[in-house]
Amino acid sequence: MASLRSFLVRQTHVKRLQNHPEITNTLSIVIRRWFTTIPSNAPWIMKDPRVCVTFKMWLEILHGAPPAVIFTYRNPLEVARSLQGRERETVELLGDGLKLWIWYNRLAVDNSKGLCRITTSNEAVMNDPKLEVIRIREELIKCGLPQRSIKADAVEEFFNEEFMHSTSKGKDVSDSSVCVIPPFHSSLVNPDAKKAEEEIYQVAMKVFCDLKSGEAFELEYEWPVIV
């Protein structure tokens, strides 16, 4: 996985994957080599944002055993600010982080089409961790995975505000048709850069609202063009 850890952070890498098959082939070889090192017992779970991009390569390895997908999304502004605060591979500009959020979610939606996909969000989990985890478990059972017991105390201990850095706890997530986009004012000084950052924020938040309503998962959904 060492080769993968240094890859897939910036938007330019995503575009290279689409335009240069040799990079895709190299990544596929690395994934296959890593796959041979994991135990053969199942089920097992994999969590890594880069899977949004490399997911189809993993599907090629899982012959005849398509995985269940837990698709979770988070407020794009929270994600972009988190990328700015990373110790390595920092995304310095907030606007670049917002673009990455759009790219990764689009690829995750596209690459998981046709699979048994359960959708959740950071907001839904933090609003009621135990209830949401139980719902996800029930959906996974419908996907064909074996039933697993859930310890309520362990769930509440794991999901806490410090762990999540920021939380949406207490917000009303029951009505998926309601999605208010809070105002955002860029801290950039350059007028053009400031305007561009505020515009990409609006674009990202529109996608966020469409994920919440389910519209972004529809086949005819038109994703924004990111340059």
Side-chain angles (χ1 to χ4, degrees):
M1 286 291 285
S3 298
L4 288 178
R5 290 189 184 282
S6 61
F7 192 71
L8 297 178
V9 174
R10 303 186 185 279
Q11 177 185 345
T12 52
H13 292 152
V14 179
K15 291 184 176 180
R16 288 175 191 170
L17 271 177
Q18 297 172 329
N19 299 325
H20 297 280
E22 67 275 11
I23 298 179
T24 302
N25 293 336
T26 300
L27 267 177
S28 181
I29 293 173
V30 173
I31 289 173
R32 288 177 182 275
R33 287 176 179 173
W34 179 83
F35 192 78
T36 61
T37 67
I38 65 174
S40 59
N41 58 303
W44 50 277
I45 186 170
M46 180 175 181
K47 174 187 174 295
D48 192 311
R50 290 161 293 196
V51 176
C52 297
V53 182
T54 62
F55 191 56
K56 288 186 176 180
M57 302 178 198
W58 291 95
L59 290 179
E60 294 173 359
I61 299 173
L62 301 173
H63 302 292
V69 176
I70 301 178
F71 184 102
T72 182
Y73 60 94
R74 184 182 175 192
N75 184 293
L77 189 58
E78 293 178 2
V79 173
R81 285 173 173 165
S82 177
L83 290 173
Q84 285 185 308
R86 293 173 56 163
E87 293 183 0
R88 64 187 184 90
E89 295 180 332
T90 302
V91 179
E92 296 180 1
L93 295 178
L94 193 70
D96 288 342
L98 293 169
K99 290 178 181 179
L100 275 173
W101 182 91
I102 296 172
W103 268 104
Y104 272 51
N105 278 279
R106 176 177 182 173
L107 289 169
V109 171
D110 288 345
N111 289 338
S112 61
K113 285 178 181 176
L115 296 173
C116 193
R117 182 172 61 196
I118 300 103
T119 303
T120 185
S121 67
N122 180 75
E123 188 178 53
V125 170
M126 291 304 298
N127 189 66
D128 193 330
K130 186 173 73 171
L131 182 64
E132 185 65 2
V133 169
I134 290 175
R135 184 190 71 83
I136 292 171
R137 181 193 63 175
E138 297 303 315
E139 293 297 323
L140 286 173
I141 293 173
K142 294 178 184 178
C143 289
L145 272 71
Q147 184 169 339
R148 292 286 189 269
S149 60
I150 295 177
K151 296 181 179 180
D153 292 343
V155 172
E156 293 176 358
E157 181 180 353
F158 182 80
F159 290 102
N160 58 77
E161 295 184 8
E162 290 74 22
F163 173 76
M164 300 300 290
H165 304 293
S166 59
T167 178
S168 300
K169 190 165 185 171
K171 293 183 180 180
D172 181 13
V173 297
S174 59
D175 189 352
S176 60
S177 65
V178 177
C179 189
V180 178
I181 300 178
F184 166 73
H185 301 287
S186 172
S187 61
L188 297 178
V189 177
N190 182 281
D192 292 336
K194 182 182 180 72
K195 180 181 177 181
E197 190 169 85
E198 291 174 352
E199 288 177 348
I200 194 62
Y201 165 77
Q202 291 292 329
V203 172
M205 286 302 297
K206 172 64 166 58
V207 174
F208 174 74
C209 289
D210 292 342
L211 287 169
K212 185 176 180 180
S213 68
E215 184 179 345
F217 296 98
E218 298 177 0
L219 293 177
E220 64 273 16
Y221 183 71
E222 294 186 9
W223 287 82
V225 177
I226 305 299
V227 295

